[in-house]
Amino acid sequence: MPADDSPSSGTSAEPPSPAAVRMQARATALLVRPKLWLLPTVLTGLLALLLSLLYMGGIVSPNRDLHDLPIGIVNADRGEPLSGQQENLGAQIVRAVTTDTSNGDKAEWRELSLAKAQDELDSGKLYGALVVPDGFTASVAALTGTSATARPALTVLTNPGKGSLGSSLASQITTAAAHQASQNIGKQLTASATQADATAKLLLADPVAVTTQVGHPIGTNSGLGLSTFYYTLLLVLAGFMGGNVISNAVDTSLGYADNEIGPWHTRRPTVPVDRTQTLLLKMGMTAGITLLSVSLVMLATVGILDMDAGHLPLLWLYSYCATLAVGLGVQAINAAFGGIGQLVSMFVFIVLGLPSSGATVPLQAVPDFYRFLSAFEPMRQLGDGVRAILYFDARGDAGLTRAWIMIAIGTALALLFGFAMTRYYDRKGLERLTPQPS
């Protein structure tokens, strides 16, 4: 039966009789019905509780939950040891820092060469680094004589591409380690400089300066390392909202749902189509409309707002595939769960995805539950790829390769799950409700 695209009124053309008007229920009478309150009260309360626990639980205490934050430590000091010592000061600092247990396991110290540390900063594998420069032992030794020309310094390297909070946590840890190293060196110097005056001893007690440098700079229009999070959120929202809008629009156009805008109500003739063909239609429309939505996201963020972004063709392709994967997932969930599908997909893609994305709070600084979610939650997978493209020169080892793999897996799962459920419903003869216009 061909579909009639002209809207048909779902109400009678004749006005209601006075008796019918008198029989209409009033809100005050309905409010006293307990069953009317039960379901929305329970669902709203549960949603408020779950959202509060999930969102605040992931960010309420990063320092308490911090474990194994990857930080590099570099010993470029090649000088001879001080008199009476077995190793130079650079080696002593590395050993002291990597074996220190006073801060628990907050940092995962990685002993690297300077070149390797820079490479891991550039690929987003490190949140920061502590560097002992070449000639450090000699410059410290010079403080006890007359040949000192400058105060020796340890360098803290930051990585803002890993997010402002993650970079800040790494900077706090490395700076504290550098100051502790300075005090340990100061004890050695003051013990050996028995003839020094009070001013000299004050200098020798804390002889090392700590300088901070950006180890891997990002653009000034990068939101202090947060543009990755917000851009990823835009892609997820575009897929989530777009998928739901398309699903509702198709159901309305095919006559399986009413269309109500303000006081106007229409219902179209029902088009006979099974669940599998309906899902195929919705997914096809999602693939087409996502081309426009992703292009507009890039136009707004890069073209109008001037967000720092390179590799624009790759960014567009990645954004399209990421948004499409979310949109297909939404269609599959809606097809499987029906009326509650939008709520289910909201939890899958947004509620559980935001606190486990690792984009604002490092995954090393969230409770174990969120680290578990991050292994498969879509927002974390998509965010790693966006971060690699925006901040780390689209390097595969910066997370882009894994992101592409997870997009492919997510797309395949959406297709398999969606069509498996609709085929099952169709074989069982579970037809959709087919309201006919009066």
Side-chain angles (χ1 to χ4, degrees):
M1 180 178 67
D4 182 4
D5 290 334
S6 61
S8 301
S9 173
T11 59
S12 174
E14 297 181 359
S17 66
V21 172
R22 286 194 298 270
M23 292 299 293
Q24 288 182 354
R26 298 184 64 85
T28 52
L30 296 175
L31 282 172
V32 299
R33 295 186 178 182
K35 291 184 178 180
L36 190 66
W37 287 78
L38 181 61
L39 183 60
T41 301
V42 171
L43 287 180
T44 302
L46 283 176
L47 282 174
L49 178 63
L50 287 174
L51 288 174
S52 300
L53 291 174
L54 287 170
Y55 285 161
M56 294 304 296
I59 58 93
V60 72
S61 184
N63 282 303
R64 179 196 64 194
D65 297 315
L66 184 61
H67 299 288
D68 299 325
L69 192 70
I71 303 174
I73 185 166
V74 176
N75 179 22
D77 184 14
R78 298 294 178 264
E80 295 295 324
L82 296 176
S83 177
Q85 297 184 0
Q86 298 294 321
E87 54 188 2
N88 64 24
L89 293 177
Q92 292 181 41
I93 290 173
V94 170
R95 177 167 48 82
V97 169
T98 55
T99 59
D100 182 23
T101 59
S102 60
N103 289 321
D105 59 350
K106 291 186 180 297
E108 178 194 321
W109 292 100
R110 300 178 181 178
E111 296 183 48
L112 304 167
S113 66
L114 184 59
K116 183 62 175 175
Q118 187 61 59
D119 181 70
E120 295 205 359
L121 287 168
D122 293 339
S123 62
K125 296 176 182 176
L126 294 178
Y127 282 82
L130 176 62
V131 178
V132 183
D134 188 19
F136 180 75
T137 300
S139 62
V140 170
L143 293 176
T144 60
T146 59
S147 59
T149 58
R151 190 182 181 197
L154 296 174
T155 302
V156 170
L157 299 178
T158 63
N159 194 352
K162 295 295 288 181
S164 54
L165 179 58
S167 181
S168 175
L169 289 171
S171 180
Q172 292 174 22
I173 294 172
T174 49
T175 300
H179 284 302
Q180 183 62 48
S182 177
Q183 293 174 12
N184 292 338
I185 294 171
K187 292 176 182 178
Q188 299 180 37
L189 296 180
T190 53
S192 62
T194 58
Q195 304 300 319
D197 58 27
T199 302
K201 286 185 177 181
L202 184 62
L203 171 62
L204 294 178
D206 189 11
V208 180
V210 180
T211 61
T212 301
Q213 299 177 10
V214 177
H216 178 79
I218 59 176
T220 56
N221 291 348
S222 296
L224 299 177
L226 289 175
S227 60
T228 289
F229 168 69
Y230 285 101
Y231 188 85
T232 303
L233 181 59
L234 285 172
L235 299 183
V236 173
L237 288 176
F240 171 76
M241 294 190 299
N244 283 311
V245 168
I246 292 168
S247 181
N248 292 334
V250 169
D251 287 344
T252 299
S253 296
L254 297 182
Y256 291 90
D258 292 353
N259 183 30
E260 189 173 4
I261 302 176
W264 296 280
H265 167 244
T266 58
R267 180 182 296 169
R268 296 182 181 276
T270 304
V271 177
V273 58
D274 63 25
R275 294 175 183 271
T276 300
Q277 291 300 311
T278 302
L279 178 59
L280 183 61
L281 172 63
K282 292 178 178 179
M283 286 188 168
M285 291 180 63
T286 299
I289 294 175
T290 299
L291 293 168
L292 174 63
S293 58
V294 164
S295 299
L296 293 176
V297 167
M298 284 194 63
L299 173 65
T301 56
V302 180
I304 298 175
L305 299 177
D306 197 28
M307 179 186 75
D308 286 320
H311 307 279
L312 293 183
L314 175 61
L315 179 62
W316 183 91
L317 178 62
Y318 179 87
S319 300
Y320 174 76
C321 293
T323 305
L324 179 59
V326 174
L328 296 180
V330 168
Q331 301 297 5
I333 291 172
N334 286 348
F337 293 95
I340 65 169
Q342 294 186 18
L343 188 61
V344 174
S345 60
M346 183 184 74
F347 266 84
V348 170
F349 293 106
I350 298 177
V351 174
L352 297 178
L354 284 172
S356 63
S357 66
T360 53
V361 180
L363 294 175
Q364 293 82 1
V366 297
D368 293 339
F369 172 67
Y370 297 94
R371 283 195 285 272
F372 165 74
L373 289 178
S374 70
F376 55 85
E377 265 298 316
M379 191 170 292
R380 185 272 171 106
Q381 325 307 327
L382 304 184
D384 283 354
V386 172
R387 186 185 301 277
I389 296 173
L390 293 184
Y391 299 158
F392 299 114
D393 198 30
R395 290 179 53 161
D397 60 350
L400 185 57
T401 298
R402 183 179 185 276
W404 277 120
I405 293 172
M406 296 305 288
I407 287 175
I409 292 175
T411 301
L413 288 176
L415 294 173
L416 289 173
F417 175 70
F419 286 111
M421 294 303 296
T422 55
R423 290 290 298 275
Y424 172 78
Y425 293 153
D426 288 338
R427 286 197 303 269
K428 289 292 184 179
L430 302 174
E431 298 180 356
R432 303 186 68 188
L433 178 66
T434 56
Q436 298 292 336
S438 60

